[in-house]
Protein backbone atom coordinates (compact mmCIF):
# COMPACT_ATOMS: atom_id res chain seq x y z
CA UNK A 1 0.00 0.00 0.00
CA UNK A 2 2.80 2.54 0.67
CA UNK A 3 4.11 2.40 -2.93
CA UNK A 4 0.88 3.38 -4.74
CA UNK A 5 0.15 6.05 -2.15
CA UNK A 6 3.61 7.63 -2.53
CA UNK A 7 3.27 7.56 -6.32
CA UNK A 8 0.13 9.74 -6.24
CA UNK A 9 0.72 13.35 -7.26
CA UNK A 10 -2.11 14.64 -5.05
CA UNK A 11 -2.17 12.70 -1.78
CA UNK A 12 -5.03 14.86 -0.49
CA UNK A 13 -7.31 13.38 -3.14
CA UNK A 14 -9.47 10.65 -1.52
CA UNK A 15 -8.48 7.05 -2.13
CA UNK A 16 -10.81 4.20 -1.14
CA UNK A 17 -8.91 0.92 -0.59
CA UNK A 18 -11.37 -1.97 -0.56
CA UNK A 19 -10.12 -5.29 0.77
CA UNK A 20 -11.75 -8.21 -1.05
CA UNK A 21 -10.71 -11.70 -0.03
CA UNK A 22 -7.46 -12.81 1.52
CA UNK A 23 -5.35 -14.08 -1.39
CA UNK A 24 -2.52 -11.74 -0.36
CA UNK A 25 -2.72 -12.95 3.23
CA UNK A 26 -4.95 -12.95 6.26
CA UNK A 27 -3.27 -9.96 7.93
CA UNK A 28 -1.81 -6.64 6.83
CA UNK A 29 1.05 -4.63 8.25
CA UNK A 30 0.44 -0.95 7.74
CA UNK A 31 2.88 1.75 8.85
CA UNK A 32 1.00 4.50 10.66
CA UNK A 33 2.83 7.06 8.51
CA UNK A 34 0.77 5.84 5.52
CA UNK A 35 -2.41 6.85 7.31
CA UNK A 36 -1.03 10.30 8.07
CA UNK A 37 0.45 10.88 4.60
CA UNK A 38 -2.67 10.41 2.49
CA UNK A 39 -6.44 10.79 2.41
CA UNK A 40 -6.97 7.05 2.69
CA UNK A 41 -10.17 5.18 3.51
CA UNK A 42 -9.85 1.45 4.29
CA UNK A 43 -12.92 -0.74 3.79
CA UNK A 44 -13.73 -4.43 3.82
CA UNK A 45 -15.97 -6.22 1.41
CA UNK A 46 -17.49 -9.52 2.39
CA UNK A 47 -19.97 -11.21 4.61
CA UNK A 48 -20.18 -9.07 7.71
CA UNK A 49 -19.48 -5.73 6.05
CA UNK A 50 -23.07 -5.66 4.75
CA UNK A 51 -26.10 -7.29 6.34
CA UNK A 52 -27.91 -10.12 4.58
CA UNK A 53 -30.96 -7.83 4.38
CA UNK A 54 -28.81 -5.16 2.71
CA UNK A 55 -27.56 -7.62 0.11
CA UNK A 56 -31.09 -8.91 -0.59
CA UNK A 57 -32.37 -5.35 -0.93
CA UNK A 58 -29.90 -4.72 -3.78
CA UNK A 59 -30.38 -7.94 -5.72
CA UNK A 60 -33.40 -6.86 -7.76
CA UNK A 61 -31.68 -3.67 -8.93
CA UNK A 62 -28.51 -5.65 -9.75
CA UNK A 63 -30.54 -8.10 -11.86
CA UNK A 64 -32.18 -5.15 -13.63
CA UNK A 65 -28.77 -3.62 -14.41
CA UNK A 66 -27.45 -6.92 -15.79
CA UNK A 67 -30.63 -7.53 -17.81
CA UNK A 68 -30.51 -4.05 -19.35
CA UNK A 69 -26.87 -4.49 -20.34
CA UNK A 70 -25.66 -1.66 -18.10
CA UNK A 71 -23.51 -4.16 -16.21
CA UNK A 72 -21.70 -6.64 -18.44
CA UNK A 73 -21.24 -10.19 -17.21
CA UNK A 74 -19.48 -13.09 -18.90
CA UNK A 75 -20.41 -16.23 -16.95
CA UNK A 76 -19.00 -19.67 -17.61
CA UNK A 77 -21.80 -22.08 -16.59
CA UNK A 78 -20.64 -25.32 -14.99
CA UNK A 79 -22.87 -28.04 -13.54
CA UNK A 80 -22.82 -28.38 -9.76
CA UNK A 81 -21.63 -31.97 -10.03
CA UNK A 82 -18.37 -30.59 -11.50
CA UNK A 83 -17.64 -28.30 -8.54
CA UNK A 84 -14.23 -29.90 -7.95
CA UNK A 85 -13.28 -29.26 -11.57
CA UNK A 86 -14.48 -25.66 -11.25
CA UNK A 87 -11.80 -24.93 -8.63
CA UNK A 88 -9.02 -25.76 -11.10
CA UNK A 89 -10.58 -24.45 -14.31
CA UNK A 90 -8.72 -21.39 -15.63
CA UNK A 91 -10.86 -18.47 -16.75
CA UNK A 92 -10.13 -15.36 -18.79
CA UNK A 93 -9.92 -12.01 -16.99
CA UNK A 94 -13.42 -10.83 -16.09
CA UNK A 95 -14.96 -14.25 -16.65
CA UNK A 96 -16.50 -16.08 -13.67
CA UNK A 97 -17.63 -19.68 -13.23
CA UNK A 98 -21.28 -19.96 -12.22
CA UNK A 99 -22.39 -23.30 -10.83
CA UNK A 100 -25.72 -24.50 -12.21
CA UNK A 101 -28.10 -27.26 -11.19
Amino acid sequence: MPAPLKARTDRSKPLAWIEIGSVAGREITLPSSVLRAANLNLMGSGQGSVTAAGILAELSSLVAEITSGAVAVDPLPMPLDRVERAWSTPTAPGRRIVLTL
Side-chain angles (χ1 to χ4, degrees), residues 2-84:
L5 285 173
K6 289 179 182 175
R8 301 181 87 211
T9 55
D10 183 358
R11 292 187 195 169
S12 67
K13 193 173 182 180
L15 173 66
W17 187 284
I18 303 170
E19 174 60 25
I20 303 171
S22 59
V23 172
R26 295 179 56 89
E27 297 180 10
I28 65 169
T29 301
L30 182 64
S32 61
S33 61
V34 170
L35 297 175
R36 294 188 304 272
N39 185 356
L40 175 64
N41 184 16
L42 301 173
M43 295 178 272
S45 176
Q47 293 176 345
S49 63
V50 179
T51 65
I55 293 170
L56 289 174
E58 295 298 322
L59 285 180
S60 61
S61 61
L62 176 60
V63 169
E65 292 291 312
I66 292 170
T67 304
S68 75
V71 173
V73 296
D74 188 16
L76 174 60
M78 190 169 290
L80 184 58
D81 62 0
R82 294 189 185 168
V83 67
E84 287 185 49

